[in-house]
Amino acid sequence: MHHRTSRRTLLTATAATAVAAGVGIAPGALAAQRSASSGQHYSAATTKRLRRIISGMSLEEKVGQLFVMRVYGHSATDPDQADIDANMAEIGVRTAAEMIDRYHVGGIIYFAWAHNTRDPHQIAELSNGIQRAGLAGPTPLPLLVSTDQEHGIVCRVGEPATLMPGAMALGAGGSRSDARRAGQIAGAELAAIGINQNYAPDADVNVNPANPVIGVRSFGSDPQSVAAMVAAQVKGYQSSGIASTAKHFPGHGDTSTDSHTGLPVITHTREQWAELDEPPFRAAIAAGIDSIMTAHIVVPALDPAEDPATLSHPILTGILREELGYDGVVVTDSLGMEGVRTKYGDDRVPVLALKAGVDQLLNPPSLDVSWNAVLEAVKSGEISEARIDESILRILRLKTKLGLFDNPFVSRAGVDRTVGTRAHLAAADRIAERTTTLLANDGAVLPLSRRSHKSLLVVGADPASPSGTTGPPTTTLATAFGELGHAATALSTGTAPTSAKIAEAVAAAQGKDAVVVATYNVSATSSQRTLVRALAATGVPVITVAIRNPYDIAQLAGTGFAANLATYSWTDVELRAAARVIAGRAEPQGTLPVPVQRADDPSKVLHPVGYGLTY
């Protein structure tokens, strides 16, 4: 057994030289790089044709094109009654088709909780129904259908679609080709079901272990490594014919506040932002990114007015448009999030976002309030019609690039040919194996032998599936071990095991050859620590598997575990890969894409970036 440690060290060591490494653009080159931006991919004839379409649109149609809205239901015209009721309550319409007819929205976003994503055939038919509604309008226009399919812990479309490792897992694998292949497969499956704009990859550099909203959604803490993975994923997604979206500009990786519930403030200086946060977005633009999503964060060094970036002209127009030379689509993060609603009312937010340089207004809490606010702002002259025409042109250019004017529809045969194929599932398994990270292996307890460690107990946290279609984790692990020749029993103990549940687990460990514990974001006061310590006290070897953040090992120091692995998510593909590694059917190949600080002294590093053990 040996370990691999990167020459790179903690954030402070990498940040100082981050920009110097570059990603194909000279250090400090913030001047326009327009040849890489989306606006350069369109001929004069295409632009002339689209301008002619825009000139024939009513003002109401133009305003609608700027919005991307949620809608409840599995069908565009015949949703369940509960979804009709939800649509009436929140939007004032019964169905997606009615919303498109009334508000002329340019896009719709799918959520599992809105019952949009039951299964691939249903999603494809919903997408077709949405496109039919768009083409039935006064100005027939296809729609951008979007979702957050980051994979890992943010996943709206679940099995039987192929689920890939998430960003930090891919960062641990360190393979650009794997990142690109994962994006290519995921993009092809989204395209087959009629989703043509994916809000991925996450381009944030996660330098704050306490970040409550990004974490494993980021590829890691090293700006250049993140930049390389972002570029690879962009190329993968867009090679499959969908639009990719780098998020959350200007960088959400160093926040301790969740922008869903508050307004984070980033204290980076302008120089620190250029070193830490900018490189992945610069790389995405160089890779030809189709859209960039804004962040509801305040960065005083970039905008002294301390407006959220989503509403900041200096950030979106001054930096993103003018300095970085980006001329593709800019989409807000959800306008229903508290971060963007803290300073201004819901009627002002969409107007200020457009004035800042945004093109698409995503998921406002009240479509009617926001739509009418924009309409009135144009009628009053606060926003010129020429200004919204600029955004509509970008949106229509993207729809043209995606082929939506030629054929926006998908087929049942295309779904069957593409989604969840044996080849795609096998590729996901192999990629996941290359991400599993072994951080401790005292006494070389791993890999487990079927002869000496036949009988296993799997306990621990069972968080809800990100997609609603996988897990629970303890059962998934136990099943995987069973398929590998071990006799495994699952016992869910939760993220906060009680004394009674811990006693139950200890009793269940009697006579077992090893215990596998799935841990989930262990804190200093977490009873998950008590569980691991009590199990280790039985004398049975305990293998802990961090199924979300890899920082759990620091909090588990001194509890007596024999081995520790990180999977970076609890979807089945990552858990099955961990089981194969534990059972010796695959080599652990992942290395940490973020540093793990000591729990007793966070100023010191327990395991640096690049650390990982092998057999």
Side-chain angles (χ1 to χ4, degrees), residues 82-428:
D83 293 320
I84 292 173
D85 294 343
N87 285 328
M88 287 297 296
E90 294 186 18
I91 312 170
V93 297
R94 298 172 68 259
T95 68
E98 288 183 12
M99 181 175 70
I100 294 165
D101 178 62
R102 179 180 298 183
Y103 292 103
H104 316 291
V105 294
I108 285 182
I109 179 172
Y110 288 171
F111 293 103
W113 52 259
H115 310 137
N116 304 139
T117 58
R118 288 182 180 177
D119 65 76
H121 286 125
Q122 167 268 316
I123 299 170
E125 184 49 43
L126 172 61
S127 300
N128 285 342
I130 285 168
Q131 298 296 357
R132 283 191 290 269
L135 297 180
T139 304
L141 292 172
L143 279 84
L144 287 168
V145 178
S146 62
T147 199
D148 293 282
Q149 188 79 349
E150 297 176 19
H151 292 268
I153 72 166
V154 176
C155 209
R156 312 303 190 204
V157 180
E159 293 182 346
T162 305
L163 298 181
M164 287 289 174
M168 192 170 284
L170 291 171
S175 168
R176 297 185 197 183
S177 62
D178 278 353
R180 182 168 183 163
R181 179 65 175 147
Q184 185 180 40
I185 290 171
E189 297 199 5
L190 289 176
I193 58 177
I195 295 174
N196 46 52
Q197 184 177 22
N198 189 19
Y199 297 139
D202 192 302
D204 301 311
V205 180
N206 197 75
V207 296
N208 186 346
N211 194 321
V213 66
I214 304 301
V216 293
R217 298 170 62 192
S218 163
F219 289 103
S221 64
D222 174 61
Q224 298 309 314
S225 296
V226 173
M229 300 301 278
V230 165
Q233 284 246 284
V234 168
K235 292 174 182 176
Y237 281 123
Q238 295 188 178
S239 71
S240 293
I242 68 166
S244 178
T245 308
K247 60 188 187 185
H248 308 78
F249 190 82
H252 209 315
D254 193 12
T255 57
S256 55
T257 300
D258 185 342
S259 52
H260 290 84
T261 56
L263 180 57
V265 177
I266 303 282
T267 58
H268 294 176
T269 65
R270 178 62 190 256
E271 293 72 26
Q272 287 173 323
W273 174 82
E275 293 172 350
L276 293 173
D277 303 296
E278 180 200 1
F281 293 100
R282 185 150 41 88
I285 293 169
I289 188 74
D290 282 327
S291 51
I292 290 177
M293 179 179 285
T294 68
H296 304 326
I297 58 173
V298 167
V299 190
L302 303 186
D303 182 358
E306 300 193 7
D307 280 332
T310 298
L311 312 180
S312 169
H313 189 274
I315 291 174
L316 298 187
T317 296
I319 296 176
L320 182 57
R321 295 286 192 205
E322 296 173 358
E323 294 186 16
L324 297 185
Y326 178 66
D327 194 36
V329 170
V330 174
V331 57
T332 71
D333 205 343
S334 171
L335 297 183
M337 293 166 60
E338 195 60 31
V340 78
R341 303 172 75 188
T342 299
K343 194 171 180 180
Y344 301 100
D346 290 341
D347 59 334
R348 293 301 298 159
V349 165
V351 174
L352 295 173
L354 291 169
K355 293 173 74 171
V358 157
D359 302 305
Q360 288 185 305
L361 302 162
L362 178 62
N363 201 30
S366 169
L367 178 58
D368 192 67
V369 167
S370 295
W371 189 88
N372 278 297
V374 173
L375 187 66
E376 288 305 312
V378 178
K379 287 181 176 179
S380 71
E382 182 179 3
I383 300 175
S384 70
E385 193 164 349
R387 164 65 191 89
I388 65 169
D389 285 355
E390 290 177 16
S391 288
I392 297 164
L393 179 60
R394 291 191 188 101
I395 293 165
L396 296 187
R397 279 173 166 173
L398 181 52
K399 293 179 179 183
T400 299
K401 178 189 175 186
L402 298 176
L404 298 179
F405 281 98
D406 298 324
N407 180 16
F409 301 108
V410 293
S411 69
R412 192 175 187 90
V415 173
D416 293 337
R417 189 168 55 245
T418 309
V419 178
T421 64
R422 185 177 300 177
H424 286 178
L425 295 171

